């Protein structure tokens, strides 16, 4: 008896930031869309166990610290305490569940079919969907075979497990770090990048003593040293111990604790903690779903090779998000999703990463877009720099949050804005203005002549532009 094969127009594997946005845009462009998701909920890592719930814990930590000490404002409070069970319930039920149900509603609104199961590619035009979860060895029975016209791969990434630190109940990844049952007294974090540093600050605010073990000379190495130094000082003020050039060697589960051994300058040191969280990076999910059965080409790092529209080496297969080159950022995946969906519909779309901002939700926040001073120097571009401190901004001072600055990088000859970096209050929101400016190739005078309301945190951007054109006002 012939196998029943279902034909679909556009199939998307994964419903994370890239997948669900691609589905919505493809539907808006008239495509019949099917999403295959192996988890019970939509939204992917970012929404369920990543960037969204981490911001909830960061917020809870800030609120706890404000409740404990607001004497600066003349406010005296009694001893503030945290019920972490309620905090986690708020995160899961009021934040994550609300957002995932919102994505579910949007997909339904756009008539996107969702199939829950694991996709396995058979060829460049066909795949099989199997029930999620463990199966018997060599069991190829059941499932559903789909023949697709177009395919978008949005399978995301997973945490890297390093030697000597096998994940268990005491050695955890970032997902485990977001779902702890109690606030640890001692918390070791291996990896001082975006995730490690954000959660270090969150748990320090929640009451943990945190130790960061970072293998490079500085934490958050993707950002410039002058802005990272402000975050580093704030972390140390919270009691966080930061050990750089430290190489994690092994862990030993002691039941109710874990011993972590690291080397610094060749000397081994062991520390004991309630939990050890490993956040040294993520691995692209390009294995274990049959890519080898297709003609899709991978790089040496296991990333899918794509062109400017996200098209792979196979004309009808596209790839977006963490499985392609570039930073693993949700908003990058959003952008690539719309490009790929448009390309399938024949639109003249293309990915241009010049205006993609990078944000780290530390205290204070970090944000960067376009070129840094070092980038410009490496490209032999002669630049001028405008830098304005939040200490000179009335709104930041009135918030008692005046650490940091705005820095703008412009072409010295033309005045064209090439990049910008912000460290300070609201950096994650403020960077969007600079993203527009860099993407549209505005010049410093365009920014300087843009009227920013007073008193607001956006004014330092205008002030930095005033410095670039040679007419500083408040400095």
């Amino acid at each position: 008896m012939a196998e029943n094969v279902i034909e679909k127009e556009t199939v998307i594997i994964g419903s994370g930031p890239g997948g669900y946005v691609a589905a919505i845009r493809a539907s808006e462009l008239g495509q019949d869309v099917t999403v295959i998701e192996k988890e019970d909920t939509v939204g992917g890592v970012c929404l369920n166990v990543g960037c969204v719930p981490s911001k909830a814990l960061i917020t809870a930590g800030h609120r706890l610290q404000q409740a404990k000490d607001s004497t600066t404002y003349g406010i005296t409070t009694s001893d503030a305490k945290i019920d972490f069970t309620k905090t986690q319930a708020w995160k899961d039920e009021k934040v994550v569940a609300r957002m995932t149900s919102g994505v579910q509603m949007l997909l339904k609104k756009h008539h996107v079919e969702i199939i829950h199961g694991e996709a396995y590619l058979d060829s460049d035009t066909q795949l099989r969907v199997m029930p999620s979860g463990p199966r018997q060895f060599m069991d190829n029975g059941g499932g559903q075979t789909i023949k697709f016209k177009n395919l978008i791969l949005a399978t995301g990434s997973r945490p890297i497990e390093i030697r000597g630190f096998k994940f268990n109940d005491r050695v955890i990844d970032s997902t485990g770090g977001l779902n702890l049952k109690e606030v640890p007294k001692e918390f070791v974090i291996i990896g001082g990048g975006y995730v490690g540093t954000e959660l270090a600050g969150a748990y320090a605010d929640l009451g943990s003593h945190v130790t960061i073990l970072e293998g490079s000379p500085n934490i958050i190495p993707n950002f410039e040293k002058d802005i990272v130094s402000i975050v580093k000082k704030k972390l140390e003020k919270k009691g966080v111990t930061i050990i750089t050039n430290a190489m994690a060697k092994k862990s030993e589960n002691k039941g109710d604790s874990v011993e972590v051994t690291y080397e610094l300058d060749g000397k081994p040191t062991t520390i004991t903690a309630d939990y050890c969280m490993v956040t040294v990076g993520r691995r692209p999910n390009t294995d274990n779903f049959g890519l080898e059965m297709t003609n899709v080409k991978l790089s040496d790092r296991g990333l899918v090779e794509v062109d400017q529209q996200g098209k792979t080496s196979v004309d009808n297969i596209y790839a977006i998000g963490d499985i392609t080159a570039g930073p693993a950022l949700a908003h990058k995946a959003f952008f690539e999703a719309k490009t790929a969906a448009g390309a399938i519909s024949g639109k003249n779309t293309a990915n241009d990463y010049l205006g993609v901002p990078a944000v780290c939700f530390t205290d204070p926040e970090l944000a960067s877009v376009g070129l840094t001073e070092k980038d410009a120097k490496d490209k032999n571009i002669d630049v001028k720099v405008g830098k304005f401190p939040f200490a000179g901004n009335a709104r930041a001072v009135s918030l008692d949050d005046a650490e940091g600055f705005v820095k703008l990088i412009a072409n010295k000859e033309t005045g064209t804005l090439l990049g910008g970096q912000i460290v300070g209050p609201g950096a994650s929101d403020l960077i969007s203005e600079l993203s527009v400016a860099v993407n549209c190739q505005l010049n410093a005078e365009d920014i300087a002549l843009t009227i920013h309301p007073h008193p607001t945190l956006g004014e330092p951007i205008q002030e930095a532009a005033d410095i670039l054109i040679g007419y500083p006002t408040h400095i």
Side-chain angles (χ1 to χ4, degrees), residues 15 37 39-44 47-48 100-101 103-104 107 114 116:
S15 69
E37 172 55 57
E39 303 295 340
D40 294 334
T41 59
V42 296
L47 185 48
N48 287 278
T100 54
S101 64
V103 171
Q104 187 91 26
L107 291 171
I114 303 174
H116 288 281

Side-chain angles (χ1 to χ4, degrees), residues 216-229:
S216 66
N218 204 8
I219 59 171
I220 333 176
N222 292 333
F223 286 90
E224 290 187 297
K225 290 181 180 179
D226 58 344
I227 65 175
V228 172
S229 64

Side-chain angles (χ1 to χ4, degrees), residues 347-371:
K347 302 291 183 180
N348 188 27
T349 58
N351 290 317
D352 182 357
Y353 300 107
L354 181 65
V356 176
V359 176
C360 191
F361 291 84
T362 47
D363 181 16
E365 293 179 348
L366 304 180
S368 178
V369 67
L371 301 184

Side-chain angles (χ1 to χ4, degrees), residues 166-185:
K166 184 175 179 60
F167 293 138
N168 54 55
D169 60 337
R170 293 290 163 182
V171 178
I172 56 180
D173 59 14
S174 56
T175 299
L178 288 168
N179 290 289
L180 292 174
K181 301 299 183 184
E182 70 281 330
V183 176
K185 292 181 179 179

Side-chain angles (χ1 to χ4, degrees), residues 162-163 165 190 213 215 246-250 260-263 280:
I162 59 177
R163 181 180 298 179
F165 292 83
I190 299 175
L213 302 177
M247 304 306 296
K249 289 298 182 181
K250 66 177 182 177
V260 176
T261 301
Y262 67 94
E263 282 188 3
V280 296

Side-chain angles (χ1 to χ4, degrees), residues 116-127:
H116 288 281
E118 296 190 48
Y120 294 90
L121 292 164
D122 294 330
S123 68
D124 290 342
T125 58
Q126 187 169 291
L127 59 79

